[in-house]
Amino acid sequence: MSGPSEWQQRIQGEWHGRPSLFDAGGTWRGYEDIRRSSVFDAGTVTYYMDGGLEGGGPLAGRFKLGAPFAFGVTDAGGDRLYTGPDFYGAGTPYGGFVDARYYGPGWQVDLNTWNQTIGDTQVYSSLLFQGPAVAGCFNGLYTRDPALVDGWLRDETVNGPVPFILPTKDAGAYGGACEVFGPDRKPLGSVRVTVELEPIDLLRTRHHVTWTGALERRHTVEVRRDGFRSFCEGPGAWGNAQAYGRASYPSLHFADGTRLAGREFMMDATPGMGAGATLAVAYELFEGNAMAAVLHGVLTWSSS
């Protein structure tokens, strides 16, 4: 390659984070201290990760390694191909968001990593699979600003285990602009996403969701929360969601055959009896079983 791709330029630098580890049911198990960088040098890209696992419970034996990660990346501006020896697979960038699917021989898991870059912040998650079954999840926030690292890691230690929750008593809406990309990775414009919340009781909330702009969609769904799980019970969509700490992963199905797979990450969640106000979202939209669009952005809360 003659030079680094747009995505490679976007993620240059060393990123610092302390993502939390959760088991398949959503129970917090520990931290992974990580420093990572993707380095372009003399026409080749190498990805480095160094750190260590703290805690982990019954997952510790699987995710504790005796050496730092390093693996080659073929990066020609389309899919990023991971060529081993520590990871094999590919990642597809859509602007500031990448959906990567690959295998880690050291961890012996299949990974689906979603990384959303917002300036000097990355919203990161890796769902870990044994065959089709989820074995666990890493997720957290990263920074590449050296001046923020010490305080950032302290905050991630406090906030990483906080469960995902939306306001349960206050009516209002999360809203913001999202970038939209086609399955060919080309930009399609922007969409204003609004998620208006109408609390019913402490465990049930009616969501009125509106997309306007490059994509036009509208639906209402009643969402029932049960611990780390949520259930979407019509009338406009049906499905469920599983939360791992601050991140919830919804799967929704619509009567027209459209399907949505997503991640909603409460960036400013803290311990205590309240919900955050800044929600980073990434959604993949399917028509039938074919990818139709990818959108991502940041939604902020306003009370009614």
Side-chain angles (χ1 to χ4, degrees), residues 73-149:
V73 180
T74 301
D75 178 43
D79 285 344
R80 289 165 63 85
L81 304 181
Y82 308 145
T83 60
D86 292 334
F87 292 111
Y88 295 93
T92 304
Y94 301 91
F97 166 75
V98 68
D99 180 347
R101 297 166 190 263
Y102 52 104
Y103 187 77
W107 284 346
Q108 301 179 90
V109 290
D110 194 69
L111 297 93
N112 183 194
T113 295
W114 283 18
N115 206 347
Q116 184 178 355
T117 300
I118 306 165
D120 287 332
T121 299
Q122 285 187 345
V123 184
Y124 156 86
S125 68
S126 282
L127 287 169
L128 315 167
F129 293 90
Q130 176 74 38
V134 173
C137 178
F138 283 111
N139 64 48
L141 301 176
Y142 280 80
T143 184
R144 64 177 166 190
D145 186 338
L148 298 180
V149 169

